[in-house]
């Protein structure tokens, strides 16, 4: 674990922090001194994440949690407002929350499609919107969760790919829109990372899929770990990433090189 103090006195929100990349990011930032709020719908997972983060906290780092749906506008407003009022500002927003279920496109209901978009893209937008005024005040930054599916063909994931493509596009646009405020907006595009989401996907493909279309999604040298992504997020969100803006960094072990 890093003993850097890059996030000492920095106030941070991490969504999707109950597991996977969100949890690893929470732990990494708190270990570097962040005062962080972990947001997710899974309260038990959040409590475990906060306990893990507290166990490795240094440089004044600490963590708390808030149970909220990122797709619930009122909940997002309250979560951000309450945390900022309590801590006095906001320096970093990390949007990692989202979900995925593989389906045949011709069997995907419009309700399912829109639900995925509402959570993955809409929830990211809501947190960006609510956080932005506070980030402008402190010249903070945002790191969003795109995906390799934002740019490459991921069969049976039309809804997920569309939502993550939207996240990548929104990241580029926000970076340019807020360029003169001093707020940076970047994203990571993980692929082949061992998380509860990807593990569920591996056993959750529908019947009748053509596996020859999806074998290219697996890294040749094994899946990466959430900590591999968390390290990149920490760089982007810190002063080390001060000259990186509007970028989407692919983290997939070279599968799409």
């Amino acid at each position: 674990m890093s003993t850097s103090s890059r996030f000492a006195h920095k106030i941070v929100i991490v969504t999707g922090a109950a597991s996977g990349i969100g949890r690893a990011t929470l732990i990494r930032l708190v270990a570097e001194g962040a005062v962080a709020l972990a947001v997710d719908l899974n309260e038990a997972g959040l409590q475990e994440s906060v306990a893990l983060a507290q166990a490795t906290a240094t440089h004044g780092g600490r963590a708390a949690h808030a149970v909220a749906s990122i797709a619930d506008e009122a909940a997002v407003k309250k979560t951000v407002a309450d945390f900022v009022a309590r801590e006095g500002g906001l320096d970093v927003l990390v949007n990692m929350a989202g979900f995925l279920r593989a389906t045949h496109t011709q069997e995907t209901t419009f309700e399912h499609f829109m639900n995925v978009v509402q959570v993955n893209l809409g929830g990211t937008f809501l947190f960006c919107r609510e956080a932005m005024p506070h980030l402008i005040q402190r010249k903070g930054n945002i790191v969003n969760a795109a995906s390799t599916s934002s740019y490459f063909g991921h069969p049976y994931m039309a809804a997920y790919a569309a939502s993550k493509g939207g996240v990548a596009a929104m990241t580029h646009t926000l970076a340019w829109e807020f360029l003169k405020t001093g707020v940076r907006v970047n994203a990571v595009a993980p692929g082949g990372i061992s998380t509860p989401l990807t593990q569920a996907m591996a056993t959750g493909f529908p019947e009748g899929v053509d596996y020859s279309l999806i074998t290219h999604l697996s890294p040749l040298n094994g899946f990466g770990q959430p900590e591999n992504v968390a390290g990149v997020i920490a760089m982007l969100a810190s002063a080390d990433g001060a000259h990186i803006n509007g970028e989407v960094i692919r983290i997939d072990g070279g599968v799409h090189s």
Side-chain angles (χ1 to χ4, degrees), residues 46-201:
L46 280 176
Q47 291 174 341
E48 184 176 352
S49 294
V50 167
L52 291 168
Q54 292 287 113
T56 58
T58 62
H59 308 292
R62 54 185 168 85
H65 76 274
V67 179
S69 167
I70 67 168
D72 183 330
E73 184 173 12
V76 172
K77 286 183 175 182
K78 185 177 189 322
T79 299
V80 173
D82 288 354
F83 183 59
V84 170
R86 184 167 73 244
E87 300 299 342
L90 185 65
D91 297 289
V92 177
L93 169 64
V94 180
N95 283 308
M96 289 294 115
F99 81 100
L100 163 65
R101 187 172 79 239
T103 60
H104 290 286
T105 297
Q106 69 271 29
E107 297 171 0
T108 302
T109 66
F110 188 62
E111 180 182 14
H112 168 71
F113 182 91
M114 293 307 297
N115 190 26
V116 173
V117 172
Q118 182 180 17
V119 173
N120 294 352
L121 178 56
T124 298
F125 164 75
L126 287 174
F127 264 96
C128 287
R129 187 190 70 186
E130 295 305 308
M132 191 60 76
H134 309 293
L135 295 171
I136 290 172
Q137 289 181 5
R138 298 168 73 106
K139 298 187 185 304
N141 71 86
I142 296 171
V143 183
N144 290 325
S147 164
T148 51
S149 68
S150 300
Y151 301 108
F152 303 97
H154 283 44
Y156 315 110
M157 305 179 206
Y160 183 79
S163 70
K164 291 300 185 176
V167 170
M170 184 170 65
T171 296
H172 295 310
T173 291
L174 294 180
W176 191 247
E177 180 176 344
F178 293 95
L179 179 69
K180 294 182 179 179
T181 71
V183 173
R184 294 184 297 113
V185 186
N186 292 292
V188 291
I193 304 298
S194 181
T195 68
L197 185 148
T198 56
Q199 290 164 8
M201 183 192 74

